[in-house]
């Protein structure tokens, strides 16, 4: 790649727990001869996803090529965070062939695309494509849609009402901005669930999009990289609920970090995390936990009541600190209640 060639950037978006980090890990393991760089933007102050990706670093994507921006939306802090980070990646001794950006699960992708028109970078990088991930099981279950019957009743009474829920608005904006949609966790959704999710996405998409079902982030990289979309020049075709607004905010959602003592029974912890979703409407939980008598740290990932946990690597010299990030709609964050359920 010459210095005059624009570096392609793929924006990977999708709601909390849709599998963005899993997809990027697969792309890292199958780089197709490309030297990759990754920018991870997380909602909350603890960088779990960035840590997972750094553990997968190799010669095609070394640790120094993985940059984490936590506790903020990169499209809201363009001058302070996003532009300097992109410039630093482009100034590396070995320039990356392709940059992957993992947005936070609550990010609206269109404002980020607008940042690519920033004078300092617009002649040097281009948005190769926007890949939107959607949890097939969750979409099929209607978790991102408002109560249709209630909406119709309210609309009959007052057509001027805004019926969008925070969840549906984020989901719709992510789909509307996409060049390709991946229905993730297809194995959990089953054929009927995938078909139902596909129908929802097709109904929300402003134009015909490729929609593919994937499991564990496994997809031929040639399908999602090299789209040559130049999405920054195609914003009009990507409508957003926030078109006409100079900015956007994430006040509908909030997070809290919970420190825990060592646990003796991972299954009991998983059951407590399930209770968070069932009893307190918690959307997402992720973090690392120390298990008594075990040298490995336990990675905990939960989306709603679906909880996965596995030992991912030794603690080594790092402190055995158990810490979980809990994310929900703002009015559902009750730190005392969350601590009580987790036994913190």
């Amino acid at each position: 790649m010459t210095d005059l060639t624009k570096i392609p950037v793929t924006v990977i978006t999708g709601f909390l727990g849709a599998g963005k980090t899993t997809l990027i890990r697969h792309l890292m393991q199958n780089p197709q001869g490309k030297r990759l760089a990754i920018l991870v933007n997380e909602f909350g102050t603890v960088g779990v996803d960035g840590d997972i990706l750094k553990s997968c670093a190799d010669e095609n994507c070394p640790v120094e090529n993985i940059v984490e921006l936590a506790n903020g939306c990169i499209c809201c802090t363009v001058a302070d965070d996003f532009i300097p980070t992109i410039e630093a990646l482009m100034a590396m001794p070995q320039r990356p062939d392709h940059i992957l950006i993992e947005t936070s699960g609550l990010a609206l992708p269109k404002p980020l695309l607008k940042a690519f028109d920033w004078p300092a970078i617009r002649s040097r990088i281009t948005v190769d494509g926007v890949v939107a991930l959607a949890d097939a099981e969750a979409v099929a279950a209607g978790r991102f849609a408002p109560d249709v019957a209630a909406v119709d009743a309210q609309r009959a009474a007052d057509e001027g009402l805004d019926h969008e829920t925070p969840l549906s608005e984020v989901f719709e904006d992510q789909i509307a901005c996409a060049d390709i949609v991946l229905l993730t966790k297809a194995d959990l959704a089953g054929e009927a669930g995938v078909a139902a999710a596909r129908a929802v996405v097709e109904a929300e998409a402003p134009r015909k999009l490729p929609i593919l079902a994937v499991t564990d982030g496994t997809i031929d990289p040639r399908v999602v990289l090299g789209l040559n979309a130049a999405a920054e020049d195609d914003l009009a075709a990507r409508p957003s609920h926030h078109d006409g607004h100079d900015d956007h905010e994430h006040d509908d959602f909030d997070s809290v970090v919970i420190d825990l003592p060592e646990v003796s029974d991972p299954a009991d912890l998983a059951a407590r995390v399930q209770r968070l979703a069932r009893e307190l409407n918690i959307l997402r939980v992720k973090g690392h936990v120390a298990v008594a008598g075990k040298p490995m740290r336990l990675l905990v990932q939960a989306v709603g009541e679906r909880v996965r946990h596995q030992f991912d690597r030794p603690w080594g010299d790092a402190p055995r600190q158990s810490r979980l990030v809990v994310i929900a709609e703002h009015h559902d964050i009750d730190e005392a209640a969350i601590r009580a359920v987790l036994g913190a």
Side-chain angles (χ1 to χ4, degrees):
M1 179 180 293
T2 69
D3 288 340
L4 297 178
T5 304
K6 287 187 176 183
I7 297 177
V9 177
T10 296
V11 176
I12 298 175
T13 187
F15 199 71
L16 300 164
K20 299 183 294 296
T21 303
T22 301
L23 172 64
I24 291 178
R25 188 167 53 190
H26 174 72
L27 296 175
M28 290 172 64
Q29 293 167 347
N30 300 273
Q32 306 289 303
K34 293 183 173 69
R35 184 175 179 84
L36 301 177
I38 299 169
L39 195 163
V40 183
N41 184 214
E42 297 206 53
F43 188 83
T45 57
V46 178
V48 177
D49 297 336
D51 195 43
I52 291 172
L53 294 176
K54 287 177 181 177
S55 70
C56 303
D58 57 21
E59 61 180 359
N60 290 302
C61 188
V63 169
E64 59 268 24
N65 281 30
I66 303 172
V67 181
E68 190 174 8
L69 296 177
N71 198 30
C73 172
I74 50 178
C75 49
C76 297
T77 57
V78 171
D80 293 335
D81 293 323
F82 178 65
I83 300 300
T85 300
I86 290 294
E87 288 184 314
L89 290 175
M90 292 190 295
M92 286 182 164
Q94 284 190 274
R95 193 174 178 222
D97 299 312
H98 204 115
I99 298 173
L100 308 178
I101 297 180
E102 177 184 343
T103 70
S104 87
L106 301 175
L108 306 180
K110 187 170 182 177
L112 176 59
L113 297 191
K114 292 179 180 178
F116 283 82
D117 196 40
W118 199 266
I121 63 172
R122 65 186 176 192
S123 66
R124 303 164 65 192
I125 59 175
T126 182
V127 182
D128 180 68
V130 178
V131 181
L133 276 61
D135 182 326
E137 187 180 43
V139 174
R143 290 180 209 159
F144 299 114
D147 184 326
V148 177
V151 166
D152 287 342
Q154 292 175 15
R155 185 178 289 117
D158 182 356
E159 295 182 1
L161 288 178
D162 179 4
H163 303 295
E164 295 295 340
T165 67
L167 293 181
S168 65
E169 183 174 299
V170 171
F171 171 72
E172 290 163 14
D173 267 36
Q174 291 173 345
I175 296 300
C177 203
D179 293 294
I180 184 171
V181 177
L182 303 183
L183 296 177
T184 61
K185 305 175 185 178
D187 56 327
L188 300 178
E191 288 187 16
V194 168
R198 185 186 301 274
V200 171
V201 171
E202 288 175 342
E204 295 293 350
R207 59 197 182 286
K208 187 172 179 59
L209 295 173
I211 304 172
L212 303 175
V214 300
T215 296
D216 293 330
T218 302
I219 189 168
D220 189 327
R222 293 172 295 181
V223 174
V224 292
L225 304 182
L227 301 181
N228 298 312
E232 70 274 19
D233 297 327
D234 188 32
L235 296 179
R238 303 165 192 266
S240 166
H241 287 279
H242 292 260
D243 284 340
H245 297 273
D246 291 332
D247 56 13
H248 66 281
E249 31 77 4
H250 304 288
D251 290 345
D252 292 322
F253 303 93
D254 203 353
S255 68
V256 63
V257 177
I258 305 296
D259 290 313
L260 299 172
E262 287 196 358
V263 303
S264 57
D265 184 359
D268 176 69
L269 176 63
R272 291 174 181 270
V273 172
Q274 285 181 320
R275 285 181 55 199
L276 291 179
R278 187 167 56 249
E279 299 173 13
L280 301 179
N281 298 318
I282 298 304
L283 299 170
R284 181 84 162 106
V285 178
K286 57 183 178 179
H288 299 105
V289 174
V291 179
K294 300 291 185 181
M296 305 279 284
R297 68 181 189 179
L298 186 73
L299 172 64
V300 178
Q301 299 261 31
V303 181
E305 291 189 50
R306 191 169 63 221
V307 183
R308 289 185 175 182
H309 57 84
Q310 66 186 63
F311 292 103
D312 68 340
R313 62 173 173 146
W315 285 100
D317 296 331
R320 292 173 60 89
Q321 184 177 33
S322 297
R323 177 170 286 181
L324 295 178
V325 181
V326 179
I327 305 173
E329 290 189 52
H330 183 78
H331 59 267
D332 287 323
I333 290 289
D334 181 338
E335 184 169 348
I338 293 169
R339 290 184 177 279
V341 171
L342 292 175

